[in-house]
Amino acid sequence: MSPASEAANVVLVHDGFVDGSGWLRVYIGLKRQGYQVTIVQNPTISLAGDVEVTRRAIAGLQGPVILVGHSYGGVVITEAGNDPRV
């Protein structure tokens, strides 16, 4: 069984000083492995706002989700990851 069949959704959350384009190489690699990949484009105006945008990205997916954050994105996913599918 491939990892993609266990949890086919990966949500990537960027750092506070960049945007989602920093995940491009990771996105391409994961897509090649069969994952459904979502890159969250947080506005980085407030933590609460970024958490809400990330929660909406999770809510729009079917099945289990792997949530990945870089730097400030780690703070966002700590808050947004309180979802039984994560």
Side-chain angles (χ1 to χ4, degrees):
M1 181 183 311
S2 72
S5 64
E6 295 170 19
N9 299 299
V10 178
V11 175
L12 304 171
V13 181
H14 62 81
D15 184 16
F17 299 107
V18 295
D19 67 9
S21 66
W23 287 111
L24 181 60
R25 286 183 161 178
V26 174
Y27 173 88
I28 291 169
L30 290 170
K31 291 294 281 183
R32 285 184 183 151
Q33 293 179 43
Y35 290 95
Q36 170 65 39
V37 184
T38 301
I39 299 175
V40 176
Q41 189 62 41
N42 280 322
T44 64
I45 295 170
S46 71
L47 175 59
D50 294 343
V51 168
E52 184 54 35
V53 169
T54 303
R55 284 183 177 149
R56 279 184 278 175
I58 294 167
L61 300 170
Q62 303 252 335
V65 174
I66 298 169
L67 193 53
V68 181
H70 174 260
S71 192
Y72 168 77
V75 175
V76 175
I77 69 169
T78 297
E79 296 292 321
N82 190 13
D83 182 295
R85 294 180 302 126
V86 174

